[in-house]
């Protein structure tokens, strides 16, 4: 199979030494995409306990002829006020699901990298509205929300603003499901040896993470944190070049990759039906260079077609 390679990479932000995404690991990831197309509004998630942290990813289209709204709230059921930290990104409504998912991911990773949380205090038995996001007919709305707090409850529903309390909508009842993944992080440490010319790092591949309570797999591992730490060293007396590529293998996709202190957006890849790769990073190792860490982080993006591969190529420098 022919692989087409795109050489241009777009660096979207230099992020310095701000707090890294590795500082946040949610206790649970909740994915709302089942069904993707909403034909009956109603509750999606009700009073999920937040022990210390949670992450919510939703991706829905409106399959009705009415304007709907995605509502995410956090409730404090106790008799004492509670502290909540919120980090969220949203995109849409949009007719382009790949673009909306990518926009939400870029904003989310940038906010997380900069440690830009919003702190609120919820009064006793009060409810905080995290988001009210429009869901327009035949368009996509996407959200990524991270929460930190204790003794709180997370809820989500798709509502008809004209009739917000009616769950038996036009005589129909909603059938939403979520997938909930504990400790949604996949991480690996690698060392590049002199004889290795190619190293593949899978993202969104099987085995998928598993929701044990509901006995469901999270296909594509959407919303899961992938973290690779690679030791770069050159024991040889010649210069070496290391090049990192994003390779689309599952269909049209975009990726947002954090490489040390930078976020890099890939172009839209995989539209031709063939495997397609784009260079997103390159470095040169001096002779006898000692180990230097290369930290790579990314999250499978809603709306794009995962799995993908990250490919590191080790070659002589000329």
């Amino acid at each position: 199979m022919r692989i087409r390679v795109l050489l241009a990479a777009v660096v979207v932000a230099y992020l310095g030494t701000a707090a890294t995404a590795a500082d946040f690991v949610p206790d649970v990831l909740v994915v709302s995409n089942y069904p993707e197309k909403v034909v009956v509004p109603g509750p999606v998630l009700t009073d999920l306990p937040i022990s210390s942290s949670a992450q919510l990813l939703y991706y829905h289209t409106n399959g009705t002829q009415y304007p709907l709204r995605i509502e995410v709230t956090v409730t404090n059921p106790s008799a004492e006020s509670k502290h909540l930290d919120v980090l969220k990104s949203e995109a849409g409504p949009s007719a382009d699901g790949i673009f909306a998912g990518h926009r939400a991911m870029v904003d989310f990773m940038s906010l997380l990298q900069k440690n830009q949380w919003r702190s609120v205090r919820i009064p006793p038995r009060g409810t905080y509205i995290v988001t009210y996001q429009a869901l327009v007919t035949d368009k996509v709305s996407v959200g990524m929300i991270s929460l930190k707090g204790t003794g709180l409850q997370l809820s989500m529903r798709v509502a008809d603003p004209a009739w917000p309390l009616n769950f038996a909508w036009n005589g129909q009842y909603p059938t939403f499901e979520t997938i909930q993944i504990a400790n949604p992080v996949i991480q690996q440490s690698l060392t590049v040896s002199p004889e290795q010319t190619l190293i593949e790092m899978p993202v969104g591949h099987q085995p998928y993470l598993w929701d044990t309570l509901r006995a469901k797999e999270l296909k594509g591992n959407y919303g899961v944190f992938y973290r690779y730490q690679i030791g770069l060293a050159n024991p040889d007396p010649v210069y070496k070049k290391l090049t990192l590529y994003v390779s689309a293998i599952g269909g049209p996709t975009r990726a947002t990759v954090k490489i040390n202190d930078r976020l890099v957006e890939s172009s839209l890849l995989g539209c031709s039906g063939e495997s397609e790769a784009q260079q997103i990073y390159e470095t040169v190792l001096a002779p006898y260079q000692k180990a230097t860490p290369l930290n790579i982080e990314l999250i499978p993006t809603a709306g794009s077609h995962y799995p993908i591969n990250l490919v590191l190529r080790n070659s002589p420098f000329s």
Side-chain angles (χ1 to χ4, degrees):
M1 179 177 294
R2 184 170 60 89
I3 298 179
R4 186 158 63 94
V5 177
L6 305 181
L7 295 179
V10 182
V11 178
V12 297
Y14 180 76
L15 300 169
T17 57
T20 66
D23 294 326
F24 175 70
V25 178
D27 292 334
V28 62
L29 166 68
V30 180
V31 179
S32 177
N33 182 241
Y34 314 97
E36 179 179 310
K37 178 179 287 187
V38 176
V39 294
V40 181
V44 178
L45 182 72
T46 303
D47 295 339
L48 176 74
I50 302 175
S51 58
S52 65
S53 62
Q55 181 143 318
L56 173 65
L57 165 63
Y58 60 81
Y59 182 97
H60 288 290
T61 62
N62 185 345
T64 78
Q65 297 303 308
Y66 304 92
L68 302 177
R69 184 172 66 195
I70 294 173
E71 302 178 356
V72 179
T73 59
V74 173
T75 299
N76 174 12
S78 74
E80 298 178 352
S81 63
K82 295 282 188 179
H83 181 83
L84 174 69
D85 290 327
V86 180
L87 189 150
K88 69 172 182 176
S89 68
E90 300 172 354
S94 173
D96 187 339
I98 294 178
F99 170 80
H102 178 69
R103 187 70 263 157
M105 181 60 68
V106 171
D107 292 346
F108 175 81
M109 292 189 70
S110 180
L111 289 170
L112 189 59
Q113 182 73 13
K114 296 172 184 176
N115 208 28
Q116 292 184 340
W117 297 77
R118 180 180 181 184
S119 296
V120 298
R121 187 159 290 278
I122 306 177
R125 298 181 178 85
T127 295
Y128 174 72
I129 299 171
V130 179
T131 189
Y132 277 4
Q133 185 180 8
L135 187 60
V136 177
T137 300
D138 293 331
K139 293 189 177 180
V140 173
S141 289
V142 189
M144 295 188 67
I145 300 172
S146 294
L147 304 167
K148 294 191 291 188
T150 58
L152 300 169
Q153 297 172 336
L154 172 64
S155 297
M156 173 183 167
R157 69 171 182 162
V158 180
D160 180 349
W163 204 354
L165 298 180
N166 180 37
F167 291 156
W169 193 73
N170 290 342
Q172 298 176 291
Y173 290 87
T175 56
F176 291 103
E177 294 182 338
T178 62
I179 289 182
Q180 299 176 25
I181 304 296
N183 191 33
V185 180
I186 295 174
Q187 50 193 359
Q188 187 175 2
S189 296
L190 303 170
T191 300
V192 179
S193 61
E195 66 274 8
Q196 288 179 290
T197 56
L198 289 176
I199 298 175
E200 285 193 349
M201 294 166 280
V203 178
H205 286 249
Q206 293 179 309
Y208 304 125
L209 296 192
W210 186 255
D211 182 336
T212 55
L213 183 61
R214 291 156 194 79
K216 292 181 179 293
E217 61 184 8
L218 179 58
K219 292 183 178 180
N221 283 343
Y222 291 97
V224 172
F225 290 78
Y226 278 79
R227 292 169 179 156
Y228 288 99
Q229 185 176 62
I230 304 170
L232 303 181
N234 182 12
D236 296 330
V238 296
Y239 285 89
K240 294 290 186 69
K241 181 173 69 175
L242 290 172
T243 311
L244 182 66
Y245 299 88
V246 172
S247 177
I249 58 175
T253 192
R254 294 195 71 175
T256 304
V257 186
K258 176 180 169 285
I259 305 171
N260 288 340
D261 294 332
R262 293 184 176 186
L263 288 184
V264 181
E265 298 179 59
S266 79
S267 302
L268 180 61
L269 304 171
C271 294
S272 65
E274 301 175 341
S275 296
E276 191 173 28
Q278 177 184 359
Q279 177 183 322
I280 59 171
Y281 176 80
E282 181 178 276
T283 190
V284 175
L285 302 182
Y288 305 116
Q289 180 172 318
K290 295 182 179 180
T292 303
L294 177 66
N295 296 306
I296 299 172
E297 301 180 7
L298 73 161
I299 302 171
T301 303
S304 287
H305 294 75
Y306 280 67
I308 65 171
N309 284 327
L310 296 177
V311 181
L312 188 64
R313 183 168 181 256
N314 181 11
S315 61
F317 178 73
S318 58

